Amino acid sequence: MAKLTYEKLIEQLNQQMLAANTDRVALLRRVLDNLGHPEQHYRVMHLAGTNGKGSTGTMLAQTLINAGYQIGHFASPALNDAKEQIVINNKMINGDEFVDTYKRIVSQLPSDITPNDISVFEWFVLIMLQYFADQQVDWAIIEAGLGGLNDATNAISAPLITIFTHIDYDHMNILGKTIAEIATNKAQIIKSDTTVFVAPNQHDEAIKRIDDTYQKHHGSELILTSKLAANQETLFNGTRVDIKLGETVVRDVYFNLIGDAQLDNLATVVAVYNWLLKHEMVVGNDSLIKMMRDIQIPGRFQILERQPLVILDGAHNVDGASRLTETLINLRPNGKFIFILGFLKDKEYQKMARIYDQMATEIIAVSPDNHQRALTTNEIEKLFTKPTQQAVNAQVALRQARQLADEKTIIVVTGSFYLVKELENGWHENSK
């Protein structure tokens, strides 16, 4: 019998998206019951939100690694390899470990649950929880997928810390049509005896719904994060930040990420860090400051090249698009912007297109590498009033943009994580 490889396993897993199904969390909890709840063997931070989970989770993970902890981090979507979703101290799970953990879980499934009853995302969640226990991590930083209430990660026991990054409109067909409905869904990850952190710049209705759920579930403490003082440098070289929050006081520290959204994410990280200081889980500020100086996050205002300036950003909803363009205008008020754009059909692409159309000098349309969900280049071109070209893929689009660019041009690649992923995989070849 041929060995079961990681690639063969992924092919045979149930590829359905079951995020809207109301019975999934209960099913996964039964599996975790049989496994002896591996997530209870380490401390957990559980994150939910529309935008900012990846950046906040990455910053928290790196800060705790700097403090000497063994850190598991679960995040989606992956940019290049699905196994990137499961990492320990920045090293992703390998194929053999993934398969071995899968087999172990299969051997302990309840008798009425088969492997095919569990979707591929749910398998990643289960394998992550068990793998982190097997590897004896100290902390697991677990980012929710879409939700929420029915998100597979909500099957875990009560985490020590629950974090809400910025909540806005996305996945409305699943989460609800209003901020109140979306926030109510996401707030269902709150469990008893957990400390809840809420990122700054939230809609009032989101804060209200989080607070209502927190009160209902008798959380340990609710902390609303304050904004940080910062002076953004003008050459796209990062940010200078002053921090004063409780025991955490640092002056004029360089922060390697750019934009107001990242400052909000950092503010949340600082609030959590201050709580950890208070509870003697970290000592001093060195691990936080080192993270701020060194942090790099692919696909989040990522500068690929500087002549011309090429920025890659995974903004894929209206809130993300708005915050991206605000950052660009703040940093280069008189800039000339060429946007390489691709959208998925199930996103609010018309609203995003209007945002980019207002500031673009030129647009290059690319169909993201997800043929079932992607808009065609013809469909994308029709969304814009500004001059628009089409490109067969992201690499060709970047070559076209370079030909159009001058010394004042900023090339921005955005609209879909699939487009970001495609360019992240191949842009090096275009720079040769």
Side-chain angles (χ1 to χ4, degrees):
M1 185 176 177
K3 177 184 175 182
L4 178 61
T5 65
Y6 167 78
E7 291 74 19
K8 289 178 182 177
L9 173 57
I10 293 299
E11 284 180 8
Q12 72 185 38
L13 291 179
N14 181 345
Q15 301 296 321
Q16 286 183 285
M17 291 184 64
L18 302 174
N21 293 25
T22 58
D23 61 344
R24 306 307 300 176
V25 169
L27 180 146
L28 295 175
R29 282 180 179 154
R30 289 181 56 214
V31 176
L32 291 175
D33 285 343
N34 274 29
L35 294 173
H37 282 277
E39 80 280 8
Q40 294 178 4
H41 291 268
Y42 39 81
R43 294 165 171 158
V44 173
M45 295 186 190
H46 197 188
L47 287 75
T50 307
N51 292 317
K53 294 191 299 293
S55 296
T56 303
T58 300
M59 283 191 268
L60 285 166
Q62 193 57 57
T63 301
L64 288 171
I65 291 169
N66 293 346
Y69 287 109
Q70 179 95 334
I71 303 300
H73 186 194
F74 179 74
S76 60
L79 274 183
N80 300 309
D81 184 330
K83 297 192 295 296
E84 293 170 8
Q85 296 173 91
I86 304 174
V87 300
I88 296 176
N89 282 26
N90 299 320
K91 181 182 177 182
M92 70 179 178
I93 188 172
N94 67 43
D96 289 342
E97 291 169 329
F98 190 98
V99 172
D100 290 345
T101 310
Y102 167 83
K103 288 179 177 178
R104 178 176 172 186
I105 296 171
V106 168
S107 71
Q108 298 180 66
L109 288 176
S111 58
D112 59 336
I113 297 176
T114 70
N116 198 51
D117 291 330
I118 300 169
S119 74
V120 63
F121 180 73
E122 291 167 343
W123 268 117
F124 268 84
V125 171
L126 292 172
I127 288 168
M128 170 269 297
L129 295 172
Q130 185 61 58
Y131 179 66
F132 287 171
D134 293 343
Q135 298 298 314
Q136 299 180 327
V137 302
D138 301 305
W139 286 89
I141 295 170
I142 299 173
E143 300 174 24
L146 300 187
L149 174 62
N150 299 315
D151 191 85
T153 63
N154 203 26
I156 64 173
S157 307
L160 187 64
I161 291 172
T162 299
I163 299 167
F164 293 97
T165 62
H166 189 68
I167 295 174
D168 218 288
Y169 293 99
D170 203 5
H171 304 295
M172 283 99 78
N173 58 323
I174 295 173
L175 302 178
K177 302 296 183 185
T178 67
I179 293 295
E181 290 174 345
I182 294 168
T184 298
N185 188 304
K186 290 185 181 293
Q188 301 312 305
I189 70 167
I190 295 175
K191 298 175 176 64
S192 61
D193 300 322
T194 185
T195 298
V196 178
F197 293 84
V198 182
N201 282 327
Q202 298 284 0
H203 296 278
D204 291 342
E205 196 61 39
I207 294 175
K208 181 180 184 302
R209 296 307 171 110
I210 291 170
D211 184 57
D212 288 347
T213 308
Y214 163 82
Q215 300 294 344
K216 177 181 177 183
H217 290 282
H218 307 291
S220 175
E221 186 179 7
L222 179 65
I223 298 172
L224 301 179
T225 302
S226 301
K227 292 194 68 169
L228 296 178
N231 297 306
Q232 292 190 7
E233 297 179 350
T234 58
L235 298 177
F236 291 79
N237 286 329
T239 312
R240 289 283 172 183
V241 183
D242 291 333
I243 298 173
K244 187 178 187 307
L245 178 63
E247 300 299 316
T248 308
V249 181
V250 292
R251 299 291 185 192
D252 194 32
V253 177
Y254 176 75
F255 178 41
N256 199 38
L257 301 181
I258 300 169
D260 290 343
Q262 293 295 6
L263 287 174
D264 287 348
N265 296 331
L266 177 62
T268 307
V269 171
V270 171
V272 174
Y273 192 80
N274 191 58
W275 186 91
L276 295 172
L277 277 170
K278 180 181 175 182
H279 290 82
E280 299 181 345
M281 296 179 188
V282 291
V283 178
N285 297 325
D286 288 351
S287 58
L288 176 67
I289 293 170
K290 178 174 171 51
M291 178 280 292
M292 291 171 61
R293 289 174 175 162
D294 298 342
I295 192 73
Q296 296 182 19
I297 304 178
R300 273 79 168 186
F301 212 94
Q302 177 185 357
I303 295 176
L304 298 183
E305 302 173 3
R306 291 189 176 270
Q307 291 183 337
L309 192 62
V310 180
I311 294 169
L312 190 63
D313 195 277
H316 56 282
N317 51 45
V318 176
D319 179 58
S322 297
R323 304 196 90 177
L324 170 60
T325 53
E326 286 170 8
T327 297
L328 290 168
I329 291 170
N330 287 340
L331 291 171
R332 192 67 63 82
N334 300 312
K336 175 182 175 183
F337 299 99
I338 297 175
F339 282 90
I340 298 174
L341 295 172
F343 300 119
L344 300 184
K345 297 174 183 176
D346 53 3
K347 299 292 183 178
E348 289 191 298
Y349 58 85
Q350 291 166 318
K351 291 182 179 179
M352 286 190 282
R354 284 196 289 272
I355 292 169
Y356 295 128
D357 203 22
Q358 290 176 4
M359 67 181 294
T361 305
E362 188 108 18
I363 290 154
I364 301 175
V366 184
S367 186
D369 189 19
N370 185 322
H371 302 302
Q372 291 183 325
R373 296 171 63 197
L375 289 179
T376 66
T377 52
N378 285 333
E379 291 170 321
I380 295 170
E381 183 174 1
K382 291 175 183 177
L383 297 171
F384 298 98
T385 63
K386 297 291 176 64
T388 305
Q389 299 183 17
Q390 297 184 24
V392 295
N393 59 45
Q395 287 75 35
V396 171
L398 185 55
R399 286 201 291 270
Q400 292 174 208
R402 285 198 191 104
Q403 292 171 358
L404 295 167
D406 59 27
E407 67 278 1
K408 296 181 180 179
T409 300
I410 299 172
I411 300 169
V412 186
V413 185
T414 190
S416 165
F417 258 115
Y418 291 96
L419 180 62
V420 166
K421 176 179 178 179
E422 183 183 349
L423 197 56
E424 179 77 4
N425 282 338
W427 78 275
H428 289 285
E429 295 184 7
N430 290 311
S431 62
K432 292 178 181 177

